[in-house]
């Protein structure tokens, strides 16, 4: 009986949150842009056969034309359009996995740290700060240069090494302020242990803020993955947006007039970033209503 | 017969809100003569501060001046050019704001801030300026060393004095003081009120003192205007008014002043001011008035008419 | 001041743990990876095979202490680190890694400090004007929109686009290097101008990417200050609008902006890796890139460790110095 009520409560809270989010114009704009490219990529990726991205399959260096290759081919004879769809999905996969793992892990660590307090908090806090101060891209470049990452999952796991730190810091701050509130005392009175309190009582209320964190983490992960790829230590066996840029730069597409090769991933990245950022901005507006009118 | 310095006629100022405009100053008229202290009293939210900002044309959105004239020495302050207004500001009309705490720039020394105001209007040498600032500070009871300090180094009372000194810097003819004694303790209050009185005698300037503190009004003003819900309901000589308040609201206000000497029953004014977005027809004091006449007071709005010598009242009790 | 001491201890511990963690990982990862990276790297570099390679590999391993067990290696590694010895590069054998890094550092620091300061100055001033005058003005609103765009776009994309526009389409600027090859590095005017010429595009790309943030933050700061009482007071005093902006609003809004600048200096060494790579600019970023291409592991490790050290150290220094200099403490916020 009790759990059914809790489920109901959580469902209506979620429903309320969704209505709030989608009534915000900025969020909806970002979300629409984002979903558009996802759906196009999903469909496209499904339609284009695998061989389109196999090296040497087509005539290399073809500019975009309407009969054959919509976005042309690269110096390795691969179709750019097919690459694009695959790249979007791969980059996004990496981003989502790294962000999910990082946010989940980080939130739990942060919550525990804030809730437990004392020596546990002191230790964890220093660890979190340590990971925040280490420059992630540089560190990951080193590891990736030795541990050759080949696929989506290994890159995502690598990124998780750092994607947890920011959510952890935020989670801890949230927990510190929540600790004082009444419902924690109530839960303690009802006999739940600390784990249960953390997960069952407090988490649903922080859903909103966690989603904002998650979006940030996705942005960071995609950015870092592309950085790793351009440095030459990206997932060599996969096609991601970063890898596309890497190959384009390696074959000097910039200065050989092969504009379609590098413009495709670059502008797609810009598009993705803008849509994700709009979603983040919209979420910020909805979840942190500012008392003065929009000055910025 | 002293000359009229400031003549406010039918001033109207609203605040725009998402629902309806708030009529904070609704058709207010009064005048100020040379070398007099005029008090404007009323509850919080009756439009006193809005009135002050409007006279100086400092009202910022969502506040807007909707009509009326503010004649100062002949020119309408609401209509003159920006440049001309800037030249009148501070040199002829200065302002002592409500919270002196925040009126001073935190990152400028006192002497810079006063110096700014002076150098804006006058050509003056550095030495002369320094002397003038020192004299000003001394005249408000501060040590000249205050000039080199930053606002955060001074106490609330000292900052209030600095602001008054600043207001006097160019020897203006009119000073508008908005709640100059609020948030200060009684001892400091007395000093400030004394200062304001001295301004009239030493500078030969007029002062408009806006405050809800009736005791403060009683101490220094020559004439008194009572504001209620955006309108002036009574205006006249201060002594007369205090001895014989005519408007029911004035009576309530004045009897609400606590007194140490007499054992008076402390009477507050029951009820709340009307919502200025949609004020009721007729007299705005109607719901709270102990002498209200149903059918008359809630239908016709009473106009300000001269009832006795130099006493204007807006009430149907007086014809 | 007791809370400051506690804070100091925390920050020091954070720094130590960051370094300890980084050093350990940097040490372990190559050694735990499968295969023999030294052998493969040397095979790339040394022509001719067979026993020659075996001997060099063993010689190299002995010099690096790689023939001992892991624990001894670790202690040896840390000892060497404290002496400033980051090992020897394979590509430029037998040049010590630290020397190669030191040659590249000035380029990175030079590029990043000038661009950070320039973009801060430009963004702050235009942002101040935009915040002061701009709330109704369509021009300034469009500007704010553009600034937001600049802020969102990843910084290396500017490098790519600028390289294309000005290196290929309109061929004015050189596309790579820090200076024209063959020119002798010296402190004469010709060389300096050559350096500036070569760094224009990389610098421009970094400036553009950080401009947006400075603009937007200053703009919002000024908009906040505009509502303060002392600004109204300044207007009541009859001061000119410009004077109020610069002497009253700007002076107050600039304080957090300066803090922001100080805080951003923590990235002054490793902040533009990808830009350097795209322009083949001889800084530390490009160094790491070349090392990766040539599988020069000691150089990769050394450069990465060096960058991590400088970044963590700058973080540490800023963290402990900043509370002491905070103007809010100085101006006595109650």
């Amino acid at each position: 009986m009790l759990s059914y009520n809790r489920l109901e409560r959580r469902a209506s809270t979620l429903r309320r949150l969704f209505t709030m989010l989608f009534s915000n114009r900025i969020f909806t704009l970002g979300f629409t842009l984002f979903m558009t490219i996802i759906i196009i990529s999903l469909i496209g990726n499904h339609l284009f056969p695998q061989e389109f991205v196999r090296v040497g399959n087509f005539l290399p260096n073809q500019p975009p034309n309407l009969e054959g290759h919509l976005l042309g081919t690269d110096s390795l004879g691969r179709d750019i359009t097919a690459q694009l769809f695959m790249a979007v999905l791969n980059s996004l996969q990496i981003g989502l996995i790294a962000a999910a793992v990082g946010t989940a892990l980080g939130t739990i660590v942060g919550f525990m740290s804030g809730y437990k307090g004392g020596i546990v908090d002191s230790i964890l806090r220093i660890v979190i700060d340590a990971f925040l101060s280490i420059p992630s891209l540089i560190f990951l470049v080193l590891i990736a240069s030795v541990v050759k990452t080949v696929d989506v999952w290994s890159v995502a796991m690598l990124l998780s090494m750092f994607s947890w730190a920011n959510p952890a810091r935020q989670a801890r701050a949230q927990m510190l302020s929540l600790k004082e509130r009444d419902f924690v005392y109530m839960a303690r009175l009802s006999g739940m242990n600390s784990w249960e309190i953390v997960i069952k009582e407090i988490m649903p209320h922080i859903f909103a803020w966690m989603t904002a964190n998650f979006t940030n983490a996705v942005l960071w992960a995609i950015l870092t993955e592309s950085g790793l790829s351009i440095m030459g230590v990206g997932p060599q066996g996969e096609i991601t947006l970063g890898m596309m840029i890497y190959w384009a730069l390696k074959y000097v597409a910039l200065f050989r007039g092969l504009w379609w090769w590098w413009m495709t991933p670059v502008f797609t990245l810009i598009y993705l970033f803008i849509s994700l950022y709009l979603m983040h901005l919209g979420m910020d507006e909805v979840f942190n209503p500012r008392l003065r009118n929009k000055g910025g | 017969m002293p000359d009229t310095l400031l003549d406010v006629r039918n001033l109207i100022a609203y605040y725009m809100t998402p629902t309806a405009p708030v009529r904070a100053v609704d058709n207010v008229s009064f005048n100020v003569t040379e070398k007099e202290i005029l008090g404007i009293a009323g509850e919080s939210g009756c439009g006193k501060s809005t009135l002050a900002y409007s006279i100086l044309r400092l009202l910022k959105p969502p506040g807007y001046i909707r009509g009326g004239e503010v004649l100062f020495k002949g020119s309408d302050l609401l209509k003159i050019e920006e440049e001309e207004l800037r030249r009148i500001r501070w040199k002829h009309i200065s302002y002592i704001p409500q919270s002196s705490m925040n009126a001073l720039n935190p990152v400028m020394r006192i002497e810079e801030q006063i110096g700014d105001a002076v150098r804006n209007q006058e050509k003056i040498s550095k030495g002369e300026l320094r002397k003038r600032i020192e004299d000003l500070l001394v005249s408000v009871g501060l040590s000249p060393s205050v000039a080199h300090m930053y606002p955060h180094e001074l106490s609330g009372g000292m900052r209030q004095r600095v602001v008054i000194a600043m207001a006097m810097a160019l020897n203006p003819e009119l000073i508008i003081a908005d709640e100059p004694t609020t948030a200060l303790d009684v001892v400091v209050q007395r000093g400030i009120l004394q200062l304001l009185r001295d301004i009239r005698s030493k500078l030969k300037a007029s002062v408009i003192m806006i405050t809800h503190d009736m005791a403060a009004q009683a101490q220094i003003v020559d004439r008194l205007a009572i504001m209620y819900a955006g309108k002036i309901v009574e205006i006249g000589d201060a002594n007369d008014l205090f001895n014989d308040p005519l408007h029911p609201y004035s009576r309530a206000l004045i009897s609400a002043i606590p007194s140490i000497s007499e054992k008076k029953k402390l009477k507050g004014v029951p009820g709340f001011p009307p919502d200025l977005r949609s004020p009721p027809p007729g007299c705005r004091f109607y719901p709270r008035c102990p002498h209200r006449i149903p059918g008359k007071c809630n239908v016709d709005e009473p106009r300000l008419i001269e009832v006795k010598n130099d006493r204007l009242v807006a009430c149907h009790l007086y014809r | 001041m007791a809370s400051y001491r506690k804070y100091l201890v925390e920050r020091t511990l954070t720094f130590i743990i960051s370094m300890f963690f980084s050093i350990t990982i940097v040490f372990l990862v190559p050694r735990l990876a499968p295969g023999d990276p030294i052998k493969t790297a040397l095979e790339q570099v040394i022509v001719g095979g067979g026993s020659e390679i075996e001997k060099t590999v063993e010689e190299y391993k002995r010099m690096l202490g790689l023939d001992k067990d892991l624990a001894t290696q670790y202690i040896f590694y840390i000892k060497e680190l404290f002496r400033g010895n980051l090992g020897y590069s394979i590509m430029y054998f037998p040049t010590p890694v630290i020397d190669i890094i030191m040659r590249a550092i000035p380029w990175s620091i030079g590029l990043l400090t000038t661009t950070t300061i320039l973009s801060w100055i430009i963004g702050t001033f235009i942002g101040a004007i935009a915040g002061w005058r701009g709330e109704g003005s369509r021009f300034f609103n469009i500007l704010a929109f553009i600034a937001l765009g600049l802020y969102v776009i990843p910084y290396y994309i500017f490098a790519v686009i600028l390289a294309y526009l000005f290196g290929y389409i309109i061929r004015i600027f050189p596309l790579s290097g820090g200076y024209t090859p063959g020119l002798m590095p010296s402190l004469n005017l010709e060389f300096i101008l050559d350096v500036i010429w070569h760094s224009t595009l990389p610098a421009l790309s970094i400036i553009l990417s950080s401009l947006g943030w400075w603009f937007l933050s200053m703009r919002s700061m000024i908009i906040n200050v505009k509502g303060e009482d002392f600004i109204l007071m300044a207007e009541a005093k009859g001061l000119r609008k410009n004077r109020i902006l610069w002497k009253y609003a700007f002076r107050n809004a600039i304080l957090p902006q300066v803090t922001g600048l100080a805080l951003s200096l923590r990235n002054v060494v490793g902040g533009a890796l990808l830009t350097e790579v795209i322009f083949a600019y001889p800084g530390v970023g490009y160094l790491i890139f070349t090392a990766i291409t040539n599988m020069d592991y000691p150089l990769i490790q050394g450069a990465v460790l060096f960058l991590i050290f400088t970044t963590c150290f700058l973080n540490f220094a800023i963290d402990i110095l900043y509370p002491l200099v905070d103007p809010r403490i100085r101006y006595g916020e109650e």
Side-chain angles (χ1 to χ4, degrees):
Chain A
M1 261 262 278
L2 220 64
S3 54
Y4 180 70
N5 278 346
R6 212 180 282 142
L7 275 173
E8 253 202 348
R9 251 191 296 137
R10 211 176 310 173
S12 64
T13 324
L14 287 178
R15 216 179 311 145
R16 202 167 19 103
L17 277 163
F18 279 130
T19 343
M20 272 203 290
L21 270 179
F22 283 98
S23 55
N24 179 284
R25 279 189 305 176
I26 295 183
F27 175 80
T28 322
L29 176 63
F31 187 76
T32 320
L33 289 173
F34 183 69
M35 288 316 283
T36 312
I37 196 168
I38 302 301
I39 296 179
I40 294 180
S41 301
L42 278 169
I43 300 177
N45 194 44
H46 190 70
L47 289 177
F48 278 76
Q50 249 319 85
E51 43 210 52
F52 269 54
V53 295
R54 204 145 25 100
V55 173
N57 204 35
F58 295 108
L59 223 56
N61 304 326
Q62 294 298 305
N65 52 10
L66 291 169
E67 306 92 49
H69 304 279
L70 227 68
L71 289 168
T73 60
D74 63 10
S75 295
L76 294 167
R78 303 180 288 191
D79 177 67
I80 303 271
T81 326
Q83 281 188 58
L84 178 65
F85 297 141
M86 204 175 270
V88 168
L89 294 175
N90 280 335
S91 290
L92 207 62
Q93 249 190 305
I94 295 176
L96 289 172
I97 298 174
V101 172
T103 314
L105 207 65
T107 310
I108 296 180
V109 169
F111 275 170
M112 280 318 272
S113 175
Y115 187 71
K116 278 292 171 79
I119 199 80
V120 171
D121 180 35
S122 301
I123 295 180
L124 281 178
R125 182 160 38 108
I126 294 186
V127 171
I128 296 175
D129 281 344
F131 271 85
L132 282 174
S133 69
I134 298 178
S136 53
L137 182 62
I138 300 169
F139 195 88
L140 291 172
V141 161
L142 173 72
I143 303 191
S145 70
V146 176
V147 179
K148 309 268 189 233
T149 51
V150 267
D151 64 353
V152 162
W153 274 91
S154 43
V155 178
M157 283 303 118
L158 200 65
L159 291 173
S160 307
M161 246 183 112
F162 283 94
S163 67
W164 69 273
N166 230 324
R169 184 169 69 108
Q170 305 258 11
R172 182 178 167 274
Q174 282 277 334
M175 174 56 78
L176 286 178
S177 72
L178 281 177
K179 230 185 0 176
E180 307 306 309
R181 303 244 205 111
D182 291 334
F183 62 89
V184 177
Y185 290 133
M186 294 295 279
R188 257 205 229 125
L189 284 177
S190 76
M192 291 199 252
N193 69 29
S194 23
W195 269 112
E196 284 183 320
I197 297 181
V198 167
I199 295 185
K200 290 187 190 161
E201 289 296 319
I202 302 185
M203 296 269 265
H205 291 260
I206 328 232
F207 171 80
W209 147 89
M210 265 177 86
T211 346
N213 258 351
F214 181 76
T215 325
N216 256 348
V218 173
L219 269 168
W220 172 87
I222 298 183
L223 184 66
T224 313
E225 177 269 313
S226 52
L228 287 174
S229 301
I230 295 179
M231 285 297 274
V233 291
Q236 303 278 328
E238 299 278 359
I239 300 181
T240 68
L241 290 170
M243 286 311 289
M244 278 180 84
I245 301 180
Y246 170 71
W247 288 117
L249 288 175
K250 188 160 191 181
Y251 282 82
V252 202
L254 271 180
F255 310 124
R256 286 167 59 202
L258 307 173
W259 52 269
W260 56 93
W261 192 1
W262 63 269
M263 279 199 192
T264 310
V266 165
F267 287 125
T268 313
L269 260 176
I270 296 182
Y271 178 93
L272 252 178
F273 266 81
I274 291 184
S275 61
L276 277 168
Y277 189 71
L278 283 175
M279 283 171 70
H280 181 251
L281 214 59
M283 278 193 267
D284 219 18
E285 272 189 11
V286 171
F287 298 141
N288 302 324
R290 272 170 257 226
L291 295 165
R292 53 178 158 79
N293 39 354
K294 253 197 305 178
Chain B
M1 198 49 193
D3 287 328
T4 304
L5 197 56
L6 182 77
D7 195 0
V8 177
R9 295 186 189 165
N10 310 106
L11 187 59
I12 302 178
Y14 288 1
Y15 284 103
M16 296 305 287
T17 71
T19 41
V22 173
R23 302 143 85 119
V25 175
D26 208 345
N27 212 336
V28 163
S29 305
F30 64 92
N31 61 7
V32 182
T33 54
E34 286 178 354
K35 291 186 262 190
E36 81 162 328
I37 303 185
L38 171 73
I40 301 186
E43 301 170 26
S44 315
C46 72
K48 311 193 298 292
S49 284
T50 314
L51 183 58
Y53 290 138
S54 305
I55 295 174
L56 292 161
R57 215 162 112 185
L58 281 176
L59 197 59
K60 297 272 174 246
Y64 298 94
I65 299 180
R66 276 275 176 264
E69 302 169 306
V70 175
L71 299 167
F72 180 76
K73 294 208 281 190
S75 24
D76 184 358
L77 295 181
L78 299 180
K79 306 238 178 15
I80 56 177
E81 290 293 315
E82 209 39 69
E83 265 303 299
E84 213 189 316
L85 182 64
R86 266 198 332 101
R87 269 177 275 136
I88 292 182
R89 279 192 183 146
W90 223 251
K91 182 141 183 64
H92 299 284
I93 310 182
S94 69
Y95 174 65
I96 299 172
Q98 189 162 46
S99 54
S100 62
M101 311 294 147
N102 306 316
L104 294 171
N105 188 345
V107 299
M108 275 171 91
R109 295 183 201 271
I110 303 296
E111 60 195 349
E112 276 185 80
Q113 300 193 45
I114 304 183
D116 241 355
V118 175
R119 264 183 291 127
N120 186 43
Q121 302 276 23
E122 292 180 13
K123 278 201 178 335
I124 182 173
S125 73
K126 271 214 296 199
E128 275 179 40
L129 181 63
R130 197 162 17 101
K131 177 108 188 16
R132 168 115 57 120
I133 294 177
E134 283 179 10
D135 289 342
L136 277 169
L137 290 172
V138 167
S139 72
V140 295
L142 292 172
S143 146
S145 63
V146 166
H148 306 302
M149 299 191 194
Y150 287 97
H152 69 272
E153 299 177 66
L154 306 172
S155 73
M158 290 167 85
R159 271 184 259 184
Q160 188 68 324
R161 286 173 193 260
V162 164
V163 171
I164 295 178
M166 202 157 63
M168 300 188 333
L170 290 168
N171 289 328
E173 286 109 322
L174 176 63
I175 297 184
I176 304 180
D178 193 357
E179 302 283 0
T181 55
T182 319
L184 296 172
D185 63 71
V186 255
V187 180
V188 179
Q189 269 187 33
R190 194 124 193 278
I192 302 286
L193 288 173
Q194 182 86 326
L195 257 182
L196 290 175
R197 222 190 318 193
D198 289 345
I199 285 179
R200 191 247 315 256
S201 48
K202 288 201 215 149
L203 285 191
K204 318 262 186 286
S206 297
V207 178
I208 300 181
M209 181 155 95
I210 301 177
T211 177
H212 60 269
D213 184 349
M214 295 307 286
Q217 302 276 23
Q219 287 181 61
I220 66 169
V221 301
D222 301 323
R223 277 198 310 142
L224 181 62
I226 311 275
M227 251 186 107
Y228 183 75
K231 292 191 171 298
I232 296 195
V233 296
E234 185 164 1
I235 179 169
D237 177 83
N239 271 329
D240 285 348
L241 223 167
F242 272 104
N243 285 328
D244 181 26
L246 296 179
H247 194 283
Y249 178 64
S250 319
R251 286 214 200 120
L253 263 188
I254 287 168
S255 68
I257 303 175
S259 155
I260 299 183
S261 46
E262 349 168 349
K263 254 174 97 118
K264 230 175 15 160
K265 254 185 31 178
L266 215 67
K267 287 199 292 180
V269 190
F272 297 102
D275 182 353
L276 290 177
R277 277 177 295 186
S278 49
C283 175
R284 294 193 178 169
F285 193 56
Y286 179 79
R288 301 162 83 181
C289 182
H291 305 287
R292 57 176 177 265
I293 308 169
K296 177 111 188 108
C297 292
N298 55 351
V299 175
D300 291 333
E301 193 180 313
R303 285 182 299 119
L304 257 186
I305 36 181
E306 186 159 2
V307 169
K308 306 204 291 195
N309 231 5
D310 277 340
R311 182 86 71 91
L312 292 89
V313 188
C315 181
H316 290 302
L317 289 175
Y318 308 96
R319 286 287 179 189
Chain C
M1 265 298 175
S3 59
Y4 183 70
R5 208 175 309 153
K6 178 167 167 250
Y7 176 71
L8 191 61
V9 169
E10 273 174 31
R11 292 289 111 202
T12 319
L13 276 176
T14 311
F15 179 57
I16 293 177
I17 293 196
S18 324
M19 288 318 299
F20 184 68
F21 177 71
S22 310
I23 292 175
T24 313
I25 299 280
V26 169
F27 171 77
L28 280 179
V29 167
R31 284 165 176 79
L32 296 180
D36 190 347
I38 309 283
K39 186 162 180 207
T40 351
L42 282 175
E43 274 172 356
Q44 299 257 327
V45 176
I46 298 179
V47 184
S51 59
E52 288 297 313
I53 293 202
E54 290 301 325
K55 260 204 290 178
T56 327
V57 168
E58 283 191 30
E59 188 60 40
Y60 200 63
K61 283 190 180 170
R62 207 178 318 133
M63 193 168 54
L64 296 175
L66 287 176
D67 44 347
K68 316 250 182 20
D69 66 287
L70 219 58
T72 329
Q73 281 188 49
Y74 187 57
I75 300 183
F76 179 68
Y77 187 67
I78 298 199
K79 269 208 302 195
E80 289 301 294
L81 277 181
F82 271 97
R83 288 177 49 208
N85 181 8
L86 284 166
Y88 299 90
S89 151
I90 298 182
M91 278 199 298
Y92 304 111
F93 196 79
T95 324
V97 164
I98 190 80
D99 289 350
I100 305 178
I101 296 178
M102 282 311 174
R103 257 186 268 154
I105 290 278
W107 294 96
S108 292
I109 294 186
L111 183 67
L112 274 149
T113 32
T114 37
T115 51
T116 308
I117 295 178
L118 273 174
S119 89
W120 184 86
I121 293 179
I122 301 176
T124 301
F125 275 90
I126 302 189
I129 298 179
W132 186 250
R133 283 204 221 153
E135 271 182 298
S137 150
R138 180 179 304 176
F139 171 67
F140 283 111
N141 279 333
I142 295 181
L143 219 59
F145 190 70
I146 295 178
L148 194 63
L150 289 180
Y151 170 62
V152 177
I153 298 177
Y155 76 94
Y156 57 83
I157 291 192
F158 290 99
V160 172
I161 295 183
L162 277 180
Y164 181 65
L165 285 178
F166 293 106
Y168 178 71
I169 301 229
I170 316 168
R171 299 194 196 188
I172 336 173
F173 291 98
L175 293 165
S176 69
Y179 53 92
T180 312
L183 206 59
M184 281 303 291
S186 55
L187 280 172
N188 60 20
L189 192 62
E190 187 195 350
F191 183 68
I192 294 181
L193 284 178
D194 189 55
V195 166
I196 296 180
W197 185 242
H198 274 83
S199 32
T200 314
L201 283 184
L204 201 58
S205 81
I206 300 176
I207 292 180
L208 278 176
S209 72
S210 34
L211 206 55
W213 170 245
W214 298 125
F215 174 89
L216 289 171
S217 63
M218 188 60 176
R219 178 176 172 268
S220 89
M221 219 81 74
I222 291 268
I223 289 178
N224 278 348
V225 170
K226 259 208 303 199
E228 296 279 346
D229 286 338
F230 62 85
I231 299 287
L232 194 69
M233 196 58 183
E235 211 183 323
K237 286 201 282 192
L239 301 176
R240 290 207 152 78
K241 281 268 178 181
N242 260 347
R243 191 181 186 83
I244 305 182
L245 165 60
W246 298 114
K247 282 201 98 172
Y248 286 74
F250 186 80
R251 273 209 229 173
N252 274 280
I254 196 81
L255 301 175
Q257 192 79 340
V258 171
T259 311
L261 177 64
L263 292 175
S264 77
L265 286 178
R266 66 174 106 221
N267 284 322
V268 88
V269 188
L273 298 185
L274 299 171
T275 311
E276 291 180 15
V277 167
I278 293 173
F279 284 105
Y281 189 76
V284 187
Y286 187 61
L287 184 67
I288 298 182
F289 179 71
T290 359
I292 292 175
T293 325
N294 291 294
M295 293 207 275
D296 187 349
Y297 289 104
L299 188 52
I300 302 177
Q301 292 170 48
V304 164
L305 201 56
F306 188 85
L307 278 182
I308 294 180
F309 175 74
T310 30
T311 313
C312 286
F313 181 72
L314 282 172
N315 266 334
F316 173 63
I318 291 177
D319 276 345
I320 53 173
L321 289 177
Y322 156 65
L324 297 176
V325 200
D326 189 336
R328 273 173 292 168
I329 298 178
R330 208 157 36 107
Y331 284 125
E333 207 162 56
E334 286 122 52

